[in-house]
Amino acid sequence: MFAPPIPASADPLLPAYVRADGGVRLRFGKVGGVTRRLELAETGGYRARFPTTFDETCEAVLINTGGGMAGGDAMRVSAVVEAGADAVITTQAAEKIYRSQGSDTRVETALSVGAGASLAWLPQESILFSGARLARNLSIDLAAESRLVACESVYFGRSAMGEAMVRGALRDRWRIRREGRLVFAEDLRLDGAIEATLARPAIAAGARAIATVIAAGPDHLSQRDEIRALLAESPDFTGVEAGAGIASGLLVIRLLSTDAGALRRALVMLLRHVTKRALPRTWST
C-alpha cells in the first residue's frame, strides 16, 4: 500500500504545488503457466510499462515523466509477486536527484515475494547532483522458498561531465525479512561534505560510484565462490573494487569505483551472471 501523501506542513521550505508526489503499485501472478500483471495503479508523474517478453517472466519498466527528482519530491513503489510468479522490475533510465533547497527527496520501495516466486529488482543508477538530499528506504518481504536479486547503485555526481557531489546528503535504508523475520538491516548515512568524506581511505578512497547486489535463494548462495573468482579475474571488473560474501542466508555483493562507467560495465556483467538471464533492454540504452 502507498504511504499517505506528505502533508504540506511537513516541508515548510517548499509550497505543495512545486513538489512531485506519487508512485506505482504493482501485483504479479501466475496465469496459465505465465506471469501476468494483475494490478497496476499509477499516481503523480510515475508510470509503468510492460515490454513483450518471450518466456514465463513479466517485466515492468518504471518511468518518471518528470525527468528527475528534487528536494521535497516523494515517490513510492509497491510490488507484490504472488506465489510461483516470476517478475523483473527495472527503470527506463537513471534517476537524477537534483539540488535541494533543504528538503529531502524521498523514495520508498516495498517489495513482497510469495512462496516459490522470483523477483529481480533492477533499477538503474541514481545520480546525485551536488546539493542533493536523498532519503531512500527499501523494504523486502520474502516468503519460504522465494528467490530475489536486488540491486541499487548510486553515482555521486556525473564524473563524465567533470561534476562531483561536493555537498549534500544520502540516507539509504535496507530491510529484508524472510517469513516475517528480519534477516538483513543496513543504514548508510552521508551528510555534509560528501566529496571529502568519500575521499577518506577508510570510507571510499575517492570512489564516486557504489553498488550493492543482494540475492536470496539456494541457487544464489552456491554462487559465492564463482562470483568471487569472477570479481578477481574478469577484465570486466578492471578499475572496480568488489567483494562477495554470505550474510544471514543472503549473497551480498559490494562494488565501488572512481569511474562510474567502469562500475556500470561491471554491474551489467555481474547481474547477467547472478540472474542467469539477459538484462532488461533499458539497461543497454
Side-chain angles (χ1 to χ4, degrees), residues 27-274:
R27 184 166 60 90
F28 302 90
K30 200 164 187 178
V31 180
V34 177
T35 299
R36 302 289 189 190
R37 178 194 78 203
L38 302 182
E39 181 180 358
L40 169 64
E42 304 168 324
T43 61
Y46 302 98
R47 301 289 182 266
R49 295 297 179 262
F50 302 87
T52 300
T53 57
F54 299 96
D55 55 19
E56 298 179 357
T57 304
C58 184
E59 180 182 314
V61 179
L62 305 180
I63 301 170
N64 177 2
T65 63
M69 301 180 71
D73 289 354
M75 176 176 66
R76 292 169 295 279
V77 176
S78 172
V80 175
V81 184
E82 295 185 350
D86 187 353
V88 177
I89 304 175
T90 187
T91 55
Q92 182 187 38
E95 187 66 81
K96 298 179 178 66
I97 311 298
Y98 295 113
R99 179 178 179 178
S100 169
Q101 295 179 346
S103 309
D104 287 344
T105 300
R106 292 168 33 181
V107 177
E108 300 278 342
T109 304
L111 309 174
S112 177
V113 189
S118 178
L119 171 64
W121 169 252
L122 306 175
Q124 297 189 64
E125 61 271 10
S126 296
I127 302 174
L128 307 187
F129 286 68
S130 193
R133 298 185 62 87
L134 174 61
R136 188 169 64 178
N137 182 19
L138 174 61
S139 176
I140 305 174
D141 290 309
L142 302 174
E145 300 178 1
S146 61
R147 299 176 303 281
L148 168 77
V149 176
C151 172
E152 290 281 5
S153 54
V154 176
Y155 295 176
F156 297 94
R158 298 183 297 180
S159 57
M161 304 291 291
E163 300 172 357
M165 186 181 184
V166 179
R167 299 190 63 85
L170 170 64
R171 288 181 291 145
D172 200 13
R173 185 176 191 265
W174 289 63
R175 295 292 185 270
I176 301 178
R177 291 174 171 81
R178 170 76 78 177
E179 297 185 84
R181 183 173 66 88
L182 183 65
V183 294
F184 185 85
E186 180 174 273
D187 287 84
L188 169 66
R189 180 172 181 176
L190 297 171
D191 201 344
I194 298 290
E195 185 177 32
T197 299
L198 293 175
R200 294 167 59 180
I203 296 180
R208 292 189 174 186
I210 61 174
T212 296
V213 177
I214 294 183
D219 49 337
H220 295 307
L221 296 183
S222 64
Q223 290 181 301
R224 184 193 62 180
D225 292 341
E226 62 181 282
I227 292 294
R228 285 178 170 175
L230 182 73
L231 299 178
E233 300 169 7
S234 172
D236 293 295
F237 293 87
T238 301
V240 177
E241 184 176 353
I246 303 295
S248 300
L250 303 171
L251 174 63
V252 181
I253 308 168
R254 311 282 194 183
L255 306 95
L256 73 162
S257 179
T258 58
D259 181 352
L263 184 132
R264 182 180 173 92
R265 288 190 295 273
L267 196 56
V268 167
M269 172 60 69
L270 176 65
L271 290 174
R272 286 174 178 166
H273 196 85
V274 173

